[in-house]
Amino acid sequence: MTAAPAAAANTATGSAFVGVQATTVHGGVHIYVPESNDPAEIFRVGVQCLRGGMPDQARKYIREAVLAGHVTSRSCFLLVISLLSGRTLRTLPKGDLDLLRYVREQSAAQAADEWTEATRAIAHLLDSLAGQELDPNVTIKEFGKLGGTQRHLVIQHLEMFWSGPLQDWTWREVLRVAADGQTSRERLDRVWKFFQPVPAGPRVREARTPEIGVRHRAEAGGGAIVTAGTVGYLAFLASSTSAQVAAVALLALLGGGVLAAWTGLEWRFRVQRRQALDERHRRYRRSGTSGEVFAGPVDRMFRRYFAKYVPRGADLSEWIAGTWAIRMALRDEVVELYRESRVKPEQVAWLIRFLVSEVNGQWRRGTLRSEREALRVPPATRIGCALGALTAAAAWFALAGPAVVERPLAAVAALLGSAVGAAAAVPGWSRIVLERRRFRAEAADAARKYDARRQAHLRWKAKLEDRPNDHEMAFWLDCDRKMLMGEALRHYRLAPHSVVAHAFLEAPGRYYKRARVRNGPWRYTRYELLIFLLTADGVRQMSVQLDLAKATFHDRGRLNYRYDAVTAVEVSEADDGEKTFRLTLMNGDPIEAAVTGPATASEETQEDPRQVTEISLDAAGLHNTLHVLEGIAAEGKEWIGHERRREEAGLDKLADAVRGMADADGK
């Protein structure tokens, strides 16, 4: 396949349309943070960084641990791996060559085991590459004897050092492992959970404390005493005329008053509760506007989920219109409950989905207005209240007539006193009874809602229990990279040994969500992956959009160009910390990819945003990619010859640094 002419134009990648939908930081996870200054703990974190695809961080921690005295056969092996991982011979600094000499001495002092065997195998490989004396079949056989863990680490991290037939064998192994691992560990069912934040706990509006003042208690108590006293006095006066009539009237007054009070309070309670419910539904958008940091995303989530979860058989416009007031009331409640705390909108998404599902179920069952309908005043209550009031009024007049005849002035005074007492007692006692009933009703309603939300919260947490860790995310992403490499080799019909060098570039895809663990790199739901295959004829470039959750490639793009067509390679940084890779071809538009999103960090973890960006660049492999492409831009096709000579010189130095490991007998 021939290279494209130098004047060939190319277009920028789709990263120009990148947009962040959500950001999650799992701040309670400490796999990349040493919890003490103990060398063993620092070494553990270094190993975790190596597994997480961050060789720069791994080198830092493992080097520190070994130099602090944590020297074992395993630590020596992993230090060698970390020093060589993701590097070319040209990028290996002299200080690390000196460190390899130190490791050589320390490794020779370790008892022979699978780790020392693996270290000696690496040394033997590098020594033989420098002398060009090794039969590749011997090396293949030697690495085939290593344990699975050691062999996988060597193949994964030393891919820059394979060449010729050995490179073909290595890539067959790499692609076999990638094909087996790409969808392993239930990836398709678990990846999406990594991007879910820890859900905020369930909350409900607490029942409002009964608002009963001293004035209400005084009115109720004083009015009741005055009323009871004056009515009793009227009954006494009326008994002078006819004791039997007075007794019946008094009993009728008491019975009618109790019936009227009981049914009247029930009537009033239902009316007030219904009015409060209607008012709550009318009180939309008072708990914040859609432009607020918290209220805005919550508002959008409510709109999205109500549009997404339409009851089966329902018309969308009818559903949206019919639930508009309820949606606004629920939205206000969520904003009111969580806005003033350190809760992110994404952490209440589970609650919003649950609330929408409840409304959906009520719609399907035809009970959407059941709460309001349940508060309708029954006819029996209305009739009972009217009957009780009429009975009490009739009995009151029955007592008043004989009393006025018996003692006019005293009876009139008693009548006025009973009226004044009743006017004070009825509102006072109504306030006390209704407020207590309201509180009990609201408390019961809050308890019911809390229990339902708590169950929903527990179900969601249980669903997230098998959330993948960062190591699994790194492993799956590495498998995707290797599968893309295999696809590119097949498409361009290239044997691995015909590829002089290769480089990967990872960038956030279109409309992604992102998440990370503390001090870990950003992981994205969608990636733009670019691979550059450098051959004797030129550069073969392939780009894809990776859906990480589905492990699928989309929107493939391919481009071929000569080495002398590359005019510039650069990484620019925006004010918000976003870094953009740009490769410019002669007379062509630049190839661009935003290799990191905005440099934000979690307030809870108090991390430096710039450090987070550097960690993400380390995991994305940008440093090695820049080294390769910048060499091409500076030297053109001559880069191949120059690089080979530099590698030969570097191999001699590297082989000298590790020479002796291969012959160490162990102790």
Side-chain angles (χ1 to χ4, degrees), residues 487-488 491-492 540-544 555-560:
E487 181 177 323
H491 175 80
Y492 290 115
R540 307 288 187 263
Q541 176 186 315
M542 178 178 285
S543 64
V544 297
D555 301 334
R556 291 167 173 79
R558 288 178 285 271
L559 190 64
N560 307 333

Side-chain angles (χ1 to χ4, degrees), residues 481-496:
R481 283 195 296 257
K482 298 302 191 299
M483 295 302 291
L484 177 60
M485 176 76 170
E487 181 177 323
L489 290 174
R490 289 191 300 272
H491 175 80
Y492 290 115
R493 299 181 182 179
L494 296 172

Side-chain angles (χ1 to χ4, degrees), residues 30-50 57-70 74-75 78:
H30 301 278
I31 60 175
Y32 298 130
V33 183
E35 297 180 0
S36 70
N37 293 325
D38 180 29
E41 169 64 13
I42 296 173
F43 174 74
R44 180 193 68 80
V45 174
V47 174
Q48 302 285 39
C49 291
L50 195 64
Q57 291 293 105
R59 279 188 280 274
K60 168 187 170 183
Y61 288 121
I62 296 177
R63 176 194 293 116
E64 181 181 347
V66 171
L67 294 179
H70 186 75
R74 179 168 178 255
S75 68
L78 290 176

Side-chain angles (χ1 to χ4, degrees), residues 100-357:
L100 283 170
R101 294 187 180 93
Y102 172 78
V103 175
R104 175 185 66 191
E105 298 171 0
Q106 297 299 321
S107 179
Q110 304 302 313
D113 59 12
E114 65 272 19
W115 299 105
T116 56
E117 288 295 327
T119 305
R120 285 195 288 272
I122 295 174
H124 195 188
L125 167 67
L126 299 175
D127 202 15
S128 62
L129 289 176
Q132 297 294 320
E133 301 172 349
L134 183 67
D135 180 354
N137 293 321
V138 175
T139 303
I140 291 172
K141 185 176 180 180
E142 185 174 6
F143 279 104
K145 292 180 181 179
L146 298 179
T149 300
Q150 292 79 15
R151 185 170 64 253
H152 173 73
L153 287 169
V154 171
I155 292 175
Q156 178 184 7
H157 293 282
L158 302 189
E159 62 183 53
M160 299 296 179
F161 297 91
W162 307 111
S163 62
L166 191 59
Q167 188 174 359
D168 293 339
W169 172 80
T170 303
W171 272 105
R172 282 196 298 270
E173 286 292 298
V174 167
L175 293 176
R176 180 185 62 79
V177 172
D180 293 340
Q182 191 178 28
T183 56
S184 63
R185 309 176 195 176
E186 300 180 334
R187 169 183 179 173
L188 302 183
D189 296 325
R190 297 175 58 216
V191 165
W192 64 271
K193 300 178 184 180
F194 183 82
F195 301 95
Q196 297 297 318
V198 175
R203 298 178 187 177
V204 295
R205 282 194 179 108
E206 295 183 358
R208 189 162 39 89
T209 304
E211 298 176 356
I212 303 173
V214 176
R215 180 175 64 85
H216 302 118
R217 299 179 187 276
E219 288 176 348
I225 293 173
V226 171
T227 302
T230 53
V231 169
Y233 183 66
L234 287 173
F236 170 74
L237 293 178
S239 64
S240 300
T241 303
S242 174
Q244 191 172 13
V245 172
V248 172
L250 183 60
L251 290 175
L253 177 62
L254 292 175
V258 169
L259 178 61
W262 182 272
T263 53
L265 288 173
E266 177 68 18
W267 188 342
R268 183 61 180 164
F269 173 75
R270 288 173 177 266
V271 169
Q272 287 183 347
R273 289 282 290 171
R274 200 171 187 181
Q275 289 175 344
L277 182 63
D278 292 341
E279 175 63 20
R280 189 162 68 245
H281 284 178
R282 285 194 297 267
R283 210 165 39 90
Y284 59 87
R285 293 194 184 279
R286 292 187 184 176
S287 296
T289 64
S290 59
E292 291 186 9
V293 174
F294 185 83
V298 169
D299 196 42
R300 289 190 291 274
M301 278 191 280
F302 266 106
R303 290 201 304 268
R304 182 169 75 251
Y305 288 130
F306 265 96
K308 181 177 181 180
Y309 300 116
V310 182
R312 183 175 301 176
D315 179 72
L316 175 60
S317 58
E318 181 184 357
W319 157 254
I320 295 298
T323 58
W324 180 80
I326 295 176
R327 170 165 62 90
M328 290 303 177
L330 293 174
R331 175 261 188 200
D332 274 3
E333 181 181 359
V334 171
V335 171
E336 177 185 319
L337 290 173
Y338 292 95
R339 181 177 56 185
E340 301 304 327
S341 58
R342 299 181 68 179
V343 174
K344 296 181 179 179
E346 296 79 15
Q347 292 181 273
V348 297
W350 69 270
L351 176 59
I352 295 173
R353 287 192 296 269
F354 170 70
L355 295 175
V356 174
S357 70

Side-chain angles (χ1 to χ4, degrees), residues 380-573:
T381 300
R382 298 172 184 268
I383 294 173
C385 182
L387 183 61
L390 290 174
T391 301
W396 186 74
F397 281 112
L399 288 175
V404 170
V405 172
E406 182 68 21
R407 298 185 62 177
L409 293 178
V412 170
L415 289 173
L416 292 175
S418 64
V420 172
V426 170
W429 280 110
S430 296
R431 177 77 177 195
I432 293 172
V433 173
L434 290 176
E435 277 294 291
R436 288 176 176 174
R437 284 198 62 181
R438 176 198 58 74
F439 175 76
R440 289 195 299 269
E442 288 183 358
D445 188 51
R448 177 188 60 78
K449 288 182 177 180
Y450 181 81
D451 185 64
R453 295 177 187 184
R454 183 177 64 86
Q455 294 298 327
H457 181 255
L458 291 175
R459 288 193 298 271
W460 183 244
K461 286 186 64 177
K463 195 167 187 176
L464 298 179
E465 280 185 354
D466 62 343
R467 183 201 310 270
N469 58 44
D470 192 69
H471 298 151
E472 290 177 300
M473 299 294 287
F475 172 74
W476 287 323
L477 182 58
D478 186 63
C479 288
D480 293 331
R481 283 195 296 257
K482 298 302 191 299
M483 295 302 291
L484 177 60
M485 176 76 170
E487 181 177 323
L489 290 174
R490 289 191 300 272
H491 175 80
Y492 290 115
R493 299 181 182 179
L494 296 172
H497 70 266
S498 64
V499 177
V500 178
H502 69 277
F504 283 102
L505 190 67
E506 298 170 10
R510 300 188 186 100
Y511 307 109
Y512 58 80
K513 295 180 181 179
R514 66 178 183 175
R516 63 179 180 86
V517 299
R518 183 184 177 189
N519 274 33
W522 287 112
R523 309 294 184 187
Y524 301 92
T525 53
R526 296 178 182 275
Y527 280 92
E528 181 181 9
L529 298 182
L530 289 87
I531 183 171
F532 303 90
L533 304 179
L534 279 62
T535 69
D537 297 327
V539 180
R540 307 288 187 263
Q541 176 186 315
M542 178 178 285
S543 64
V544 297
Q545 291 287 327
L546 166 66
D547 186 330
L548 192 67
K550 298 179 181 178
T552 54
F553 296 144
H554 305 277
D555 301 334
R556 291 167 173 79
R558 288 178 285 271
L559 190 64
N560 307 333
Y561 42 91
R562 298 198 305 265
Y563 291 110
D564 56 8
V566 180
T567 60
V569 177
E570 62 176 324
V571 173
S572 60
E573 182 175 358

